[in-house]
Amino acid sequence: MSGLQAYGYRVIPVNPNLVGERLFGEMVVSELADIEESIDLVDVFRNSYAAGGVVDEAIAIQAKAVWLQIGVIDQDAAQRALDAGLDVAMNVCPMEEIPRLGLENRVAGQQQQQGRRRSKRRRKL
């Protein structure tokens, strides 16, 4: 989680056993449906057996993508996500793929751009 945050991603932890606690500065929620904003990516840190339920939740909330971590493989769940229009990554780690794909620079650039916009707004006030 902290690794993704270091790349500039906002990560909202979902764990029914830790609801109301804070992890890395974010409040833990019980399920994906408890998150009020749109979700770009659901990163699945569950075993392969439980991954299908998380993927179904991601489909239900209309997430844009699901990412099943290394060792998490559920072909049927991946196909359901693809059929629902979600992007799917399976059996790979975002901390390895972000640098390989060059996404760390894109995220940092977006944050800098947002910061500039906020600064301009403040000056206008």
Side-chain angles (χ1 to χ4, degrees):
M1 183 169 157
S2 63
L4 290 172
Q5 288 174 323
Y7 280 124
Y9 292 96
R10 178 161 185 225
V11 182
I12 301 171
V14 178
N15 184 325
N17 298 317
L18 300 175
V19 173
E21 294 184 28
R22 286 198 169 278
L23 288 177
F24 298 98
E26 293 286 347
M27 190 64 67
V28 179
V29 298
S30 179
E31 58 188 33
L32 291 174
D34 293 336
I35 300 172
E36 296 178 2
E37 55 200 78
S38 67
I39 298 174
D40 295 322
L41 173 70
V42 175
D43 191 4
V44 181
F45 274 95
R46 300 287 307 271
N47 62 37
S48 296
Y49 177 77
V54 178
V55 169
D56 291 338
E57 280 188 64
I59 293 167
I61 60 154
Q62 300 178 334
K64 295 180 180 115
V66 291
W67 195 302
L68 283 68
Q69 287 288 327
I70 293 173
V72 181
I73 300 169
D74 185 331
Q75 297 292 345
D76 292 337
Q79 190 60 55
R80 287 194 306 274
L82 289 169
D83 291 346
L86 280 69
D87 292 324
V88 176
M90 185 166 48
N91 196 31
V92 289
C93 175
M95 292 305 296
E96 294 174 6
E97 295 301 308
I98 288 170
R100 187 183 71 76
L101 296 171
L103 297 177
E104 73 275 14
N105 296 328
R106 188 181 70 145
V107 172
Q110 288 172 347
Q111 285 183 322
Q112 289 174 346
Q113 192 71 348
Q114 289 171 350
R116 282 190 214 118
R117 279 188 238 136
R118 286 186 192 119
S119 296
K120 288 178 185 176
R121 284 189 209 127
R122 285 188 195 120
R123 283 187 220 136
K124 290 180 180 178
L125 297 176

